[in-house]
Amino acid sequence: MSTHDAIIDWTMGEGDFLAGHYSRAHTLTFDGGAVVAGSASPSVVRLPWSDPAGVDPEEMLVASLSSCHMLWFLDFAKHAGFAVGSYRDEAQGVMGKDVEGRVFVAKVLLHPAAAYDGLAPSATETQALHHKAHAACFIANSVKSEVVVEPAPNM
C-alpha cells in the first residue's frame, strides 16, 4: 500500500504564547511539493490569532472528501461512456457536538454538479455514479479510521 505525507510547520513569531496570544498560521507542505497556508478557523480562534486566508483543518477535511468523491466520479463516468466537461462541488461541513459534548464535523454535504460533452446520464444513472464514487472514495471510507499519535523526541 502507498503512503501519503504532509509536513506541518509553525513558528512562534510575535506574541505571548502562554497568554494564548500567538498566531495559528502555519504551512502545510505535501510530498509533491505543494505548499498551502494553513490556520485555525476564525470561528474557533479569533483574529488576529488566526488567518482567514489560511485553510483550516475542517475545510481541508471537507475539500478532501469532495476531491476524492470527484476523482472517483470522473473515473466511473468515463467507464460508463459519459464525457464530463466540467464538475463543481460546493461542499459544506457542518459542525456539531457529540454525546460527550466534543465539537466535531458532524456532517459533510457534497453538492456535485457535472456538465457533459455529448450524452449525459439520466438522473438514475447520475445517482448510481455518485453512489459508486462515494463507496469507492478512500477518504469517505477513512473518516472512521484510527488516529495514532506518536510524538517525536523534543527538538
Side-chain angles (χ1 to χ4, degrees):
M1 287 277 152
S2 61
T3 61
H4 305 274
D5 303 316
I7 298 170
I8 313 305
D9 282 310
W10 172 87
T11 303
M12 174 57 200
E14 300 292 320
D16 182 347
F17 185 82
L18 295 178
H21 299 155
Y22 59 91
S23 175
R24 277 32 170 223
H26 55 279
T27 58
L28 304 102
T29 304
F30 298 94
D31 54 10
V35 178
V36 176
S39 178
S41 169
S43 69
V44 176
V45 176
R46 66 182 168 81
L47 298 172
W49 312 118
S50 61
D51 179 2
V55 181
D56 65 63
E58 298 80 13
E59 291 172 321
M60 286 188 275
L61 176 63
V62 171
S64 181
L65 284 160
S66 176
S67 177
C68 183
H69 182 91
M70 178 200 69
L71 293 168
W72 280 107
F73 177 85
L74 295 175
D75 185 61
F76 290 134
K78 175 193 68 157
H79 285 292
F82 300 111
V84 180
S86 65
Y87 181 103
R88 181 181 176 96
D89 184 1
E90 296 184 15
Q92 180 181 53
V94 179
M95 303 301 288
K97 288 189 178 182
D98 67 13
V99 294
E100 283 110 24
R102 295 177 297 195
V103 178
F104 75 115
V105 178
K107 183 186 288 188
V108 175
L109 302 162
L110 304 183
H111 302 104
Y116 299 88
D117 296 331
L119 179 66
S122 68
T124 301
E125 291 169 318
T126 298
Q127 286 289 7
L129 289 169
H130 283 295
H131 180 74
K132 282 180 68 173
H134 179 69
C137 174
F138 304 144
I139 308 305
N141 290 326
S142 297
V143 279
K144 57 190 169 280
S145 65
E146 176 183 16
V147 176
V148 177
V149 180
E150 298 175 334
N154 293 340
M155 294 189 281

